[in-house]
Amino acid sequence: MDTPYTFDLNNPDFIPDRYDNHIRRTLTAMRGQYLDTAAFEAMLAADDQLLYEVYEFHRPHEPGELLHGISIVHPGKVGDEYFMTKGHFHTVLDTSEVYYCLKGEGYMVMETPEGDWAAAELRPGKALYVLPRWAHRSVNTGAGDLVTLFVYPGNAGHDYGTIEQQGFRKLVVERDGRPEIVDNPRWGSKQ
Ligand code: PA5
Ligand code: NI
């Protein structure tokens, strides 16, 4: 596309009326990430459920560009851990990201290579700035879809490998019917 463009999110599910790429991630993509591996394997054996979807626009992966799209995490849990995205550092660590929550409820769980962590609540109307160096993962703690709009620099890239290897320091689990942020007992070990 070589002229400025708009897209319309004016529908209950906030699916853009046009996009270039639709990513669908199922349980298979999350092997090793959920703490309760028995629950994970049992769910996977029954059905390789769709966990989240991303609608993207193709733009060049250059610093002057802003990559953008819509992320939709469906509701559910593996054991008592809520459905979530893989999560990643940006390959170019010093790149940031903006999120705007359109629908649903959840958390953005974040951490730095230096050991800091943070969890930001996501609710419709909440905007979030993920600083450079902070890995980020969306977690859906609600009963419906968690929908966010995201924007990040064209040269950022996705480093999934680090999180696949070490996990996130914090997990979001259901305790007495409510979300709670707890330590990941397996953090740092091979997930
Ligand atoms: O750029 C982002 O951080 C988001 O668009 C995510 O890519 C999206 O939410 C899906 O998560 P992940 O890339 O960790 O699978
Ligand atoms: Ni990102």
Side-chain angles (χ1 to χ4, degrees):
M1 213 156 339
D2 54 7
T3 54
Y5 58 89
T6 61
F7 53 94
D8 200 332
L9 299 171
N10 193 21
N11 62 80
D13 295 324
F14 295 98
I15 295 169
D17 63 340
R18 43 173 297 267
Y19 50 85
D20 297 316
N21 193 27
H22 180 197
I23 300 168
R24 297 162 52 88
R25 288 212 167 109
T26 63
L27 272 176
T28 301
M30 297 298 285
R31 185 178 288 282
Q33 288 302 308
Y34 284 99
L35 188 60
D36 188 340
T37 48
F40 177 88
E41 293 303 336
M43 279 179 77
L44 184 57
D47 177 25
D48 189 11
Q49 238 177 293
L50 180 63
L51 301 186
Y52 65 99
E53 305 178 61
V54 182
Y55 294 90
E56 293 180 324
F57 296 85
H58 281 154
R59 294 298 309 165
H61 292 185
E62 291 168 4
E65 294 276 348
L66 292 171
L67 301 182
H68 51 284
I70 297 293
S71 160
I72 303 177
V73 185
H74 297 301
K77 281 176 292 169
V78 175
D80 58 10
E81 202 176 347
Y82 295 100
F83 282 3
M84 60 193 185
T85 60
K86 283 170 77 77
H88 54 267
F89 287 94
H90 289 162
T91 312
V92 178
L93 203 52
D94 276 321
T95 53
S96 55
E97 185 153 349
V98 167
Y99 279 86
Y100 182 70
C101 182
L102 295 159
K103 183 178 179 177
E105 50 193 86
Y107 288 91
M108 188 69 73
V109 177
M110 297 166 280
E111 69 183 45
T112 66
E114 289 73 33
D116 302 307
W117 71 273
E121 237 187 307
L122 297 173
R123 291 276 184 284
K126 272 224 188 264
L128 165 67
Y129 181 54
V130 180
L131 268 69
R133 305 184 69 78
W134 288 73
H136 40 286
R137 159 182 282 168
S138 317
V139 182
N140 183 353
T141 59
D145 286 344
L146 174 66
V147 184
T148 51
L149 177 138
F150 59 83
V151 183
Y152 61 96
N155 64 323
H158 292 89
D159 163 19
Y160 291 109
T162 305
I163 296 299
E164 281 167 6
Q165 287 293 314
Q166 70 188 27
F168 272 80
R169 290 168 187 273
K170 298 288 171 177
L171 308 176
V172 187
V173 298
E174 188 183 76
R175 292 275 186 272
D176 302 321
R178 297 175 51 81
E180 215 171 280
I181 296 159
V182 299
D183 285 340
N184 177 2
R186 280 197 288 140
W187 184 85
S189 62
K190 176 105 180 70
Q191 290 293 294

